[in-house]
Amino acid sequence: MKTENFRLEEVEFMPAKLEPGILYASQKYRTAAHLCACGCGEKVRTQLGPLGWRLTNGRTGPTLFPSIGNWQKPCRSHYFISNGRVLWRSDWTDEEVLEGRRAEEQQRDAYFHNHQGGWREQLRSWLKRRR
């Protein structure tokens, strides 16, 4: 049975058994999980943060952005969770999936390029800016 709505449940650790219609989120471990909205029973885990998904919780429910594309699962379902509602999207072709992965890789490379040097370099840069 398809899930049409999600509610957010904040947790520290992901429960062993996920319930349909609940988007579990651990801010501590910057991850979220839910059962696939198509009803196939597959667990969907999403990394939260600058290189992953952005999670917000509004009055009507959670929003997880960008979309969920279960390309490696048999169902290949594709949807957004927006304001607690599931918004279904069309399946992507293999070429579109590859293009999406390339875009993620470029985003990841750009992120790490901007954060080269680790915390020491960031501290030096911060101290320079304060002078």
Side-chain angles (χ1 to χ4, degrees):
M1 178 187 236
K2 283 186 173 183
T3 298
E4 296 299 329
N5 297 293
F6 279 93
R7 70 175 173 84
L8 181 66
E9 187 167 313
E10 301 223 10
V11 295
E12 182 175 357
F13 302 105
M14 292 298 153
K17 184 174 186 250
L18 304 181
E19 297 292 328
I22 300 177
L23 175 63
Y24 300 90
S26 170
Q27 295 299 331
K28 182 176 182 179
Y29 297 106
R30 296 168 53 168
T31 187
H34 66 280
L35 290 178
C36 182
C38 79
C40 68
E42 292 278 346
K43 290 181 181 178
V44 178
R45 295 184 183 275
T46 49
Q47 173 192 356
L48 303 176
L51 294 177
W53 279 258
R54 187 175 57 236
L55 173 65
T56 56
N57 192 27
R59 203 165 32 113
T60 56
T63 296
L64 195 59
F65 187 86
S67 66
I68 304 293
N70 293 322
W71 316 125
Q72 296 173 331
K73 301 188 185 307
C75 67
R76 292 183 58 91
S77 59
H78 182 208
Y79 51 91
F80 283 94
I81 299 174
S82 179
N83 295 315
R85 293 182 45 223
V86 175
L87 305 174
W88 294 98
R89 294 296 179 252
S90 61
D91 189 6
W92 280 7
T93 64
D94 290 342
E95 291 78 25
E96 289 172 318
V97 172
L98 283 175
E99 186 58 36
R101 288 184 179 144
R102 277 189 218 111
E104 288 174 0
E105 194 174 306
Q106 288 174 348
Q107 181 184 12
R108 191 172 32 254
D109 288 347
Y111 177 84
F112 285 114
H113 177 76
N114 292 333
H115 290 85
Q116 278 183 328
W119 68 270
R120 287 186 184 138
E121 186 58 39
Q122 290 180 27
L123 178 61
R124 267 190 219 115
S125 295
W126 181 76
L127 289 171
K128 272 185 184 176
R129 289 192 305 265
R130 291 185 51 103
R131 291 182 189 165

